[in-house]
Amino acid sequence: MPPFHHFECSRCNQDVPADTPQTVCPQCAGSLYVRYDLRPLAGTVGRDAIAKAAAAVPWAGMWRYRSVLPEVQPVTLGEGWTPMLPSRRHPNVFLKEEGANPTGTFKARGLALAVTMAKHYGFRKLAVPSAGNAAGRWPPMQPRQALKRIFLCPATCLLRTTWKRLLTEQT
């Protein structure tokens, strides 16, 4: 994996050094994007190298693409490698079947990576804004890590009462 190059603020575009874990921009408290130096992987040579490395892995899932993911111990339930299904209505259109993820949600990959990096950096709490999908991803991950979870749900979320009960039972 190319090393983290820097963080970039989503609000003010300031570059922030990646030598220590950061959660928000020190200037404006904006969310930070992780930026990599991907120049060595550019073009067909890089694409072929990524595909060759992924093909050498004996299991499916997002972590088969380790060559473009952070070099850390993953926290995973086997997310990814969901099928592409042909559309019945539109020829030459394929749909990604995200319900095939272990938790049945399209949020599986992103939250698996977020939990992995939080654990890697030693964070003890992780806040997850959700109206249902992201929050639904977390409970199965709980036995695999020791992060305190904090959910931020809008008051209009129909699942709010259900999630509150579920999360209280699992805390």
Side-chain angles (χ1 to χ4, degrees):
M1 168 68 201
F4 297 153
H5 191 261
H6 65 280
F7 295 112
E8 180 183 327
C9 179
S10 62
R11 285 187 191 160
C12 69
N13 297 323
Q14 178 177 336
D15 289 350
V16 179
D19 51 351
T20 59
Q22 308 267 343
T23 56
V24 295
C25 175
Q27 295 298 315
C28 71
S31 297
L32 296 175
Y33 296 131
V34 177
R35 297 299 187 202
Y36 302 94
D37 181 2
L38 298 174
R39 288 176 293 182
L41 299 174
T44 57
V45 172
R47 181 194 65 206
D48 293 344
I50 294 166
K52 185 177 180 181
V57 176
W59 40 267
M62 69 184 247
W63 289 96
R64 75 183 292 130
Y65 296 103
R66 281 183 169 266
S67 60
V68 291
L69 290 171
E71 292 180 4
V72 295
Q73 181 62 41
V75 177
T76 182
L77 297 171
E79 304 79 12
W81 210 248
T82 54
M84 295 287 290
L85 305 174
S87 171
R88 293 181 193 157
R89 279 190 200 158
H90 307 288
N92 301 319
V93 172
F94 288 82
L95 306 169
K96 193 77 168 149
E97 172 35 336
E98 296 294 345
N101 274 310
T103 54
T105 176
F106 70 98
K107 298 283 188 168
R109 289 180 200 81
L111 200 51
L113 189 55
V115 170
T116 294
M117 294 311 296
K119 183 177 177 188
H120 171 75
Y121 281 127
F123 292 155
R124 298 173 51 98
K125 294 180 183 176
L126 187 63
V128 180
S130 180
N133 273 317
R137 170 70 177 102
W138 192 289
M141 294 293 286
Q142 190 59 27
R144 299 180 184 257
Q145 40 65 39
L147 292 170
K148 179 174 174 73
R149 57 197 185 271
I150 301 167
F151 289 99
L152 308 170
C153 292
T156 57
C157 178
L158 296 175
L159 298 174
R160 187 180 178 103
T161 306
T162 304
W163 283 120
K164 194 173 186 180
R165 181 184 48 79
L166 245 172
L167 295 172
T168 304
E169 291 171 2
Q170 295 187 12
T171 304

